[in-house]
Amino acid sequence: MTSSAARESRLPAEALSLTTDYGLADGFVAVCHGVIARVAPALRVIDVTHLVPPGDIRRGAAVLAQTVPHLPPGVHVAVVDPGVGTNRRGVALGTPGGLLVGPDNGLLLNAAEALGGVTEAVELTNPRWLAPRVSATFHGRDVFAPVAARLALGAPLAEAGPPVEPATLVRLPEPLVHRLPDGFVAEVVTVDHFGNVQLAAPAELLDPLPARVRVGPATGEPAYDPAAEDGPTGVGRWDRDVVHGRTFGDAPVGALVVHADSAGRVALSVNGGHAAELLAVAPGTLLRVRGYSVVGDASGQHG
């Protein structure tokens, strides 16, 4: 998997980005900046966010994947790492659109796919690239930051450690999306700062739906069973009448709108409000979105 070309020095990166769950109350982010600056003082560093909910790998993965295609070509460090210090690997991934550095826990792969797919992967084991003493609880400082800084200066990826077969990289479970004759069921993937609820469904699933839809819980069970979609847990629990619009202002103030968000996913928002609070949903919740034109719906019915 490692070719002679891969061992040649790369061109210096245009920037290095940081995405973590470190928060802003402590010095963790500043320390990572400092380590990077000691290795590559002229390197431009872009802070994507440090407010990923602690340990929320899925949220971190979503933020990273939706952000990196819009950043300058470079090295992207992501650290949401509840398994730090265990036998989980630290890895660096090569893609056509840049390099990704972080824990092998599913955090990086969606971003790698957004940058064209993994073309090369290595485990971060070269002691010359790491801190002299690697803490068991702060690999962002002692492993990922110094490795990323060297890669950003153009060092060969292959020098960071031994090759990793891409098929062995840890993947997060795929979020559920299920098409139905009258709409779809989809899992809530993320909730952003504004309370907008992003679903796993691609935006094109909204195209055949009418100007008003119903949104409600898909089922009362932890996992959705498509075979039971017409059973007692699949119908009769719709509690929200939602505008199918293009943007927030297509719904009255305080009302729900379902729309295509900037990442090309289906999203639920409240014009001037917080959709996640209104719907009482969180990542992992299953919602069913359907049009009014189905047997048993009363036109004009409101929850």
Side-chain angles (χ1 to χ4, degrees):
M1 181 172 58
T2 302
S3 66
S4 59
R7 294 184 180 277
E8 297 175 0
S9 293
R10 301 170 182 270
L11 291 174
E14 294 184 21
L16 182 152
S17 77
L18 287 171
T19 303
T20 78
D21 61 353
Y22 288 161
L24 300 176
D26 303 294
F28 304 134
V29 174
V31 167
C32 291
H33 273 266
V35 169
I36 292 164
R38 285 189 172 203
V39 177
L43 182 64
R44 181 185 180 192
V45 179
I46 298 173
D47 291 290
V48 175
T49 182
H50 301 291
L51 298 178
V52 174
D56 191 342
I57 299 170
R58 187 181 289 277
R59 171 66 177 161
V63 170
L64 187 67
Q66 292 172 24
T67 302
V68 291
H70 306 283
L71 299 181
V75 180
H76 307 290
V77 181
V79 191
V80 181
D81 194 15
V84 62
T86 68
N87 60 359
R88 72 96 185 93
R89 296 178 293 195
V91 294
L93 311 180
T95 78
L99 301 177
L100 293 151
V101 176
D104 180 23
N105 61 6
L107 180 64
L108 305 178
L109 281 187
N110 288 346
E113 290 167 3
L115 292 174
V118 177
T119 56
E120 184 181 3
V122 298
E123 185 174 2
L124 308 181
T125 60
N126 183 347
R128 298 190 306 276
W129 284 31
L130 311 181
R133 290 188 177 183
V134 175
S135 164
T137 59
F138 199 178
H139 285 189
R141 176 193 68 190
D142 297 341
V143 178
F144 304 131
V147 166
R150 285 168 173 77
L151 291 173
L153 289 177
L157 184 62
E159 288 187 6
V164 169
E165 176 56 48
T168 69
L169 295 167
V170 174
R171 289 185 173 274
L172 295 173
E174 288 295 323
L176 187 144
V177 180
H178 183 74
R179 295 173 184 256
L180 299 171
D182 60 353
F184 55 89
V185 167
E187 184 176 339
V188 175
V189 177
T190 68
V191 176
D192 69 16
H193 170 72
F194 298 99
N196 301 315
V197 175
Q198 185 188 70
L199 303 183
E204 56 263 26
L205 293 189
L206 286 175
D207 293 344
L209 298 186
R212 300 192 78 84
V213 301
R214 301 301 300 257
V215 174
T219 175
E221 302 300 325
Y224 175 65
D225 179 6
E229 66 191 50
D230 293 325
T233 63
V235 298
R237 300 187 58 200
W238 310 106
D239 57 1
R240 292 292 174 184
D241 176 11
V242 182
V243 173
H244 174 193
R246 184 182 61 85
T247 188
F248 315 121
D250 289 339
V253 174
L256 279 160
V257 58
V258 62
H259 60 97
D261 71 7
S262 61
R265 298 280 187 92
V266 174
L268 289 155
S269 303
V270 171
N271 185 6
H274 197 289
E277 292 179 356
L278 182 64
L279 294 169
V281 299
T285 301
L286 295 178
L287 293 177
R288 181 172 175 177
V289 179
R290 65 172 183 168
Y292 271 129
S293 56
V294 294
V295 176
D297 257 334
S299 179
Q301 177 183 359
H302 296 275

